[in-house]
Amino acid sequence: MHSKRNGKNNGENGEDALDRRVRVEANESGASFYDYLGFIGEDDDSGHSFRLELPLQHFLLQEDGTVHPGVFATMLDIVMGAAISKATSSFAVTINLNISYFDLDPKQTYIAETSILFGDGKYVTADGVIYDQNRKTVAKATGTFKTNPKSSSISIDKEMEAG
Amino acid sequence: MSATQQKNTCFTKNPFLDHLGFEIEKQDNKDIVIKLSIDLKHLNTNKTLHGGVHASMLDTIQSLALKEVCQSNVAVMNLNVQYLSAISSGVVSARARINMLGYKTAAVESAIHDEQDVLIAKGSGIYKIIRSSNK
């Protein structure tokens, strides 16, 4: 099940329905810049994943009509950081981001999905993919993030150790 | 700082750069510099510059530097960003250097510094050069 929200509505009516972990993730998915580019986030209740949607708008384009690569970098940074924040209940600081671009031609809607690859202590690595509305891959990234998980919170390390 | 600086016409034509508030300057020695005055809209909820802004700035300066040299359109194939210092306010500047220029591909690196010359982020990218004869 997915619960959809726009960053602009955080803190209003919908927020009471979110549990604490989701609230942490929602809050730390990059609110200001997140809002400014018009992202719509979705929580995936099935695990440590986060789904992000971006409807195409004119200000996301370059002078040649293609999408600015920074839009996809932002989208991948947000989606990976949000999934890691959700898993560790901690703000995820980006250390490294490596993006491969496959198609910068403008599409109607973009959807980003992520999965966490590895967590070791404070450092967590995730990958992210951006699809267009036809599920064609347009960009892919790997990112390494630094977290500061509290001892009382669920961390990826503990889950991995337990597993 | 160069005595004569001119705003790149690209700034007014590129909606994304306009939206983010990047200022593009060409200095006397023909180097291109992008400057950004950090505003609240550029921050994440940790109140530091959002990683997407660094990436956008680094890609922009790399592609502009490359376009200036090869006088062709370019398309990014890969971008790597190292985030080295967090920053919340002030003005940051980005500069690029071309490490390899071939006929169809180029490798470019770039850096973002703050007003005290502290290194904020480093970037490197591989670009496809779209020459008119390549179509």
Side-chain angles (χ1 to χ4, degrees), chain A residues 27 36 63 68 97-99, chain B residues 14 19 45 60 78-79 81:
Chain A
N27 213 18
Y36 194 59
E63 68 273 18
H68 194 286
L97 188 63
N98 192 307
I99 310 145
Chain B
N14 192 316
H19 192 65
T45 50
T60 303
N78 182 269
L79 176 70
V81 182

Side-chain angles (χ1 to χ4, degrees), chain A:
Chain A
M1 185 182 165
H2 296 283
S3 55
K4 186 181 280 196
R5 70 190 181 284
N6 186 307
K8 287 175 183 172
N9 296 326
N10 285 349
E12 296 175 3
N13 299 337
E15 196 177 35
D16 292 341
L18 300 174
D19 66 27
R20 194 184 69 82
R21 281 175 58 194
V22 173
R23 250 197 326 268
V24 168
E25 166 274 316
N27 213 18
E28 296 180 351
S29 59
S32 301
F33 196 57
Y34 175 95
D35 287 349
Y36 194 59
L37 294 192
F39 292 107
I40 301 165
E42 278 188 36
D43 305 311
D44 185 342
D45 297 338
S46 62
H48 296 154
S49 62
F50 189 79
R51 196 167 178 269
L52 198 62
E53 199 175 312
L54 180 66
L56 188 68
Q57 298 184 68
H58 179 257
F59 61 76
L60 302 175
L61 303 177
Q62 307 186 85
E63 68 273 18
D64 62 359
T66 59
V67 178
H68 194 286
V71 174
F72 292 159
T74 303
M75 197 171 184
L76 290 159
D77 185 38
I78 289 173
V79 79
M80 289 189 277
I84 292 168
S85 292
K86 184 178 175 181
T88 60
S89 295
S90 158
F91 190 86
V93 178
T94 318
I95 296 174
N96 185 268
L97 188 63
N98 192 307
I99 310 145
S100 295
Y101 297 92
F102 308 128
D103 189 358
L104 292 173
D105 288 341
K107 306 289 165 59
Q108 189 184 336
T109 306
Y110 293 101
I111 296 159
E113 293 176 1
T114 185
S115 58
I116 296 171
L117 299 175
F118 183 73
D120 183 15
K122 291 182 173 182
Y123 300 93
V124 182
T125 301
D127 69 3
V129 184
I130 300 178
Y131 303 101
D132 68 9
Q133 69 277 8
N134 300 316
R135 293 292 289 181
K136 185 188 170 201
T137 305
V138 297
K140 198 166 183 178
T142 304
T144 302
F145 295 77
K146 186 180 178 184
T147 64
N148 191 18
K150 296 176 183 68
S151 55
S152 58
S153 67
I154 299 167
S155 75
I156 297 165
D157 318 326
K158 285 182 181 173
E159 289 185 0
M160 285 186 166
E161 283 167 15

Side-chain angles (χ1 to χ4, degrees), chain B residues 13-57:
Chain B
K13 290 191 294 183
N14 192 316
F16 186 71
L17 304 191
D18 194 15
H19 192 65
L20 262 62
F22 290 164
E23 284 186 31
I24 301 166
E25 296 175 353
K26 191 187 279 185
Q27 300 189 330
D28 280 345
N29 59 3
K30 293 190 177 177
D31 280 355
I32 299 172
V33 179
I34 296 181
K35 292 192 174 182
L36 175 70
S37 179
I38 299 171
D39 191 19
L40 283 176
K41 67 180 179 242
H42 299 119
L43 305 182
N44 55 36
T45 50
N46 206 30
K47 305 296 178 203
T48 58
L49 191 64
H50 194 287
V53 179
H54 302 76
S56 301
M57 206 169 173

